[in-house]
Amino acid sequence: MTRSALYPIFFNMKRRFYFILTQCFSLLFPVAGFSQDNLTEKYNLSLEEVIRLAKKQNNSVQAARYEEQAALEDQKDIDKAALPNVQAGSSYQRFSNLTLFTNGLSHSDSGARRPSSNSANLGIEVTFNIYSGGKQRSLQKEQHSRLKLAQINTMDLSGNTAFYTASQYLELIRLNELQKFISDQLKRAQIRLENIQSLYKNQKVTKSDVLRAQVIVSNVELSLQQNQNDIAIANQKLVVAMNLPDSVTIVPTDSAGVEKPEVESLPALIEKAENSAFIVQKSGENIELQRTKLRTLQSDTMPSLSFYSSYGLNYPNYLFFPSVDQAYSIGFVGLKLHYDISSLYKSKDRITAAKLRVKELELIQQDHRNSVRSEIKAYYIKYNEALNRISVNEKSVEQAKLNYKIVNTKYLNQLSLLTDLLDADHLYQESRLNLVSAQTEALTIYYHILYTSGNL
């Protein structure tokens, strides 16, 4: 068989091979696409829904709630310490023979213990604290302050998580808007490249314009890919904050243009921030806790008075002499007064140190108030600035858009340079991005004001 006769056979075998390979790919790719769809779950959430979900499911917030519950149980335990102490007990002993030595250890006699070799008792004791210098009350107030601190810490972590989640959500909105802008820019760059290539074919522009337009298209495509990665990263941070699976994709239902709170609603928050801020509330409870510790130390220098009672069944009877081989029961009630005189000089230095710590914490609280006042006023100024920037950027977008249309028309008519057209495109793109950034920044500042003032 000649070589020319082998060509059709080889061609048919090659075509069959490609057909089989195509069928395999057609079977594999739909399955892969279906699996990918199943692995991704989209959540359409608004800003308020994201905040509410993060407050409920965030791991740090849940851990703080457990600590709050533990502090509540500790408080119940301290309260129960004021109740009477009731103890019941019993014992039994079996004694060996009694050995008596005379003349040193040279002579001994042995006999049973009188009146019996057995001894046993069964009884109950009750003790109730009547007065201990206010120590029990101080311990209760101390634990109440610890519970209050745990509650404030839960609110603080919840507010901090809400602020962080809101910031990431707004960042995701900004990146999604930027994705649209870059996609529009890519379309403009591709159309511009086609127009420049047409002009180049008609010898109206140079080759450098074509090359520069191609570079711009490549750069925009790279920016688009980079922004997609940034969206994936922002989404990952958001789902982690809300304790959701990694397969979840958050789709914001709010936009950057959502209505912003009025400036007139902020002064009321700012005036109360010095007292309502979480850090100020914590420092206030720390002062109260230290004062309670001081009162506890001072109670150690006071006498204590307690009521106590006991009743029991005993064997044998040691109340009489000689002892009688019989069981007996007896009880008593009484008062016990105790005063530790050494506490007057032993507790002196500890009380002085506790007083100094109270003054230290008061200064720290005042410093926190000053910091909160300074910080929240700065955010108030920045919020006004952000709202003004929004109105300015809205006008800038319209002007930049009109400018791009004019310069694009001029370039197509060979009345302007490519540099002017690219500058106009960049200005239009930058003005749109600045508008979205101003809108999201204003909301971020607003939520920062809410968190700083203790209202988030």
Side-chain angles (χ1 to χ4, degrees):
M1 185 177 292
T2 61
R3 181 178 298 179
S4 59
L6 291 174
Y7 284 148
I9 298 175
F10 176 79
F11 179 79
N12 290 333
M13 292 177 62
K14 185 177 181 181
R15 189 168 60 179
R16 288 182 180 178
F17 174 77
Y18 283 143
F19 175 78
I20 295 173
L21 187 62
T22 303
Q23 293 297 320
C24 291
F25 274 101
S26 65
L27 291 174
L28 289 175
F29 283 142
V31 174
F34 179 78
S35 299
Q36 184 66 26
D37 291 339
N38 285 342
L39 290 175
T40 303
E41 188 175 1
K42 294 184 178 180
Y43 283 12
N44 297 315
L45 299 174
S46 65
L47 180 55
E48 294 299 327
E49 290 172 340
V50 163
I51 291 175
R52 185 166 57 251
L53 194 60
K55 283 185 173 183
K56 180 181 179 181
Q57 297 191 177
N58 183 267
N59 286 333
S60 298
V61 177
Q62 292 186 56
R65 290 196 184 101
Y66 282 125
E67 176 59 29
E68 183 180 340
Q69 294 175 3
L72 179 60
E73 295 299 323
D74 289 338
Q75 185 182 31
K76 293 178 181 179
D77 181 66
I78 292 294
D79 293 338
K80 290 179 180 178
L83 299 176
N85 293 323
V86 181
Q87 297 179 350
S90 65
S91 64
Y92 170 78
Q93 298 90 28
R94 171 72 179 180
F95 295 92
S96 63
N97 288 337
L98 177 65
T99 302
L100 301 175
F101 295 92
T102 57
N103 297 327
L105 299 177
S106 60
H107 184 269
S108 64
D109 294 321
S110 180
R113 179 177 178 272
R114 297 176 182 176
S116 172
S117 298
N118 299 306
S119 176
N121 66 78
L122 174 65
I124 185 171
E125 295 182 2
V126 179
T127 305
F128 179 70
N129 179 43
I130 299 176
Y131 176 76
S132 58
K135 187 172 185 178
Q136 177 62 30
R137 189 180 299 108
S138 297
L139 291 174
Q140 289 174 333
K141 289 183 177 180
E142 180 179 340
Q143 188 55 44
H144 177 74
S145 294
R146 295 185 187 277
L147 174 60
K148 189 67 176 177
L149 277 172
Q151 292 172 342
I152 297 173
N153 185 60
T154 300
M155 292 187 295
D156 188 10
L157 281 173
S158 179
N160 186 34
T161 300
F163 170 68
Y164 174 80
T165 306
S167 300
Q168 292 300 322
Y169 184 89
L170 293 171
E171 176 65 10
L172 189 59
I173 288 178
R174 189 188 70 83
L175 291 173
N176 285 336
E177 294 291 335
L178 180 57
Q179 188 77 1
K180 297 177 184 178
F181 298 160
I182 296 176
S183 298
D184 293 342
Q185 187 183 27
L186 180 59
K187 293 178 182 178
R188 294 197 304 272
Q190 291 171 343
I191 295 174
R192 184 168 55 244
L193 176 59
E194 293 175 359
N195 294 334
I196 292 175
Q197 288 174 339
S198 299
L199 293 174
Y200 176 70
K201 290 179 181 179
N202 295 325
Q203 297 182 352
K204 293 183 178 182
V205 296
T206 61
K207 181 66 174 178
S208 62
D209 285 4
V210 177
L211 296 175
R212 190 170 184 181
Q214 291 174 342
V215 171
I216 294 297
V217 171
S218 299
N219 289 338
V220 174
E221 290 175 343
L222 185 61
S223 299
L224 189 65
Q225 181 180 2
Q226 180 181 353
N227 192 72
Q228 289 173 346
N229 295 334
D230 292 339
I231 290 176
I233 294 172
N235 182 82
Q236 177 67 21
K237 292 180 179 179
L238 195 56
V239 297
V240 169
M242 293 187 293
N243 196 23
L244 294 175
D246 293 344
S247 58
V248 171
T249 299
I250 304 299
V251 180
T253 58
D254 290 333
S255 64
V258 68
E259 185 177 356
K260 311 299 183 296
E262 296 293 335
V263 179
E264 290 75 13
S265 63
L266 298 181
L269 297 177
I270 294 174
E271 291 177 1
K272 299 178 181 178
E274 292 184 30
N275 297 318
S276 61
F278 295 123
I279 189 172
V280 177
Q281 293 185 53
K282 284 183 180 180
S283 58
E285 284 301 324
N286 281 325
I287 292 174
E288 187 61 31
L289 179 61
Q290 186 59 40
R291 286 174 178 168
T292 306
K293 290 181 178 180
L294 174 60
R295 287 192 289 269
T296 303
L297 290 174
Q298 291 172 338
S299 67
D300 291 336
T301 63
M302 305 295 290
S304 63
L305 178 64
S306 60
F307 166 84
Y308 72 112
S309 175
S310 177
Y311 188 86
L313 177 65
N314 302 273
Y315 173 82
N317 185 358
Y318 293 118
L319 294 180
F320 300 130
F321 183 82
S323 301
V324 181
D325 186 10
Q326 65 180 176
Y328 72 95
S329 63
I330 193 172
F332 68 87
V333 294
L335 295 175
K336 182 184 293 185
L337 179 65
H338 174 76
Y339 183 64
D340 186 3
I341 300 177
S342 62
S343 64
L344 294 175
Y345 55 86
K346 284 185 176 181
S347 302
K348 182 178 180 181
D349 295 331
R350 285 182 291 175
I351 292 175
T352 302
K355 291 179 179 179
L356 292 174
R357 288 191 175 93
V358 170
K359 294 181 179 180
E360 175 193 1
L361 292 174
E362 288 174 345
L363 291 176
I364 292 176
Q365 185 187 41
Q366 186 59 42
D367 185 60
H368 288 161
R369 281 199 174 103
N370 295 336
S371 298
V372 168
R373 183 172 64 252
S374 176
E375 183 179 4
I376 201 167
K377 285 185 177 180
Y379 282 121
Y380 177 72
I381 295 173
K382 285 295 182 181
Y383 185 71
N384 279 280
E385 178 185 330
L387 293 182
N388 293 332
R389 189 182 293 114
I390 290 174
S391 60
V392 171
N393 285 326
E394 287 175 345
K395 297 178 182 178
S396 299
V397 170
E398 296 297 327
Q399 294 169 349
K401 182 178 181 180
L402 180 59
N403 178 66
Y404 176 76
K405 290 181 179 180
I406 294 174
V407 176
N408 185 53
T409 303
K410 285 184 177 181
Y411 179 76
L412 295 177
N413 293 321
Q414 294 298 291
L415 297 177
S416 64
L417 300 175
L418 178 60
T419 303
D420 299 331
L421 179 58
L422 296 179
D423 289 342
D425 182 81
H426 177 73
L427 180 62
Y428 177 49
Q429 183 76 354
E430 185 178 8
S431 62
R432 297 174 74 187
L433 179 58
N434 288 340
L435 174 58
V436 173
S437 297
Q439 290 171 333
T440 55
E441 183 182 1
L443 286 174
T444 301
I445 295 174
Y446 173 72
Y447 278 99
H448 210 146
I449 291 175
L450 290 181
Y451 170 65
T452 305
S453 62
N455 291 280
L456 184 58

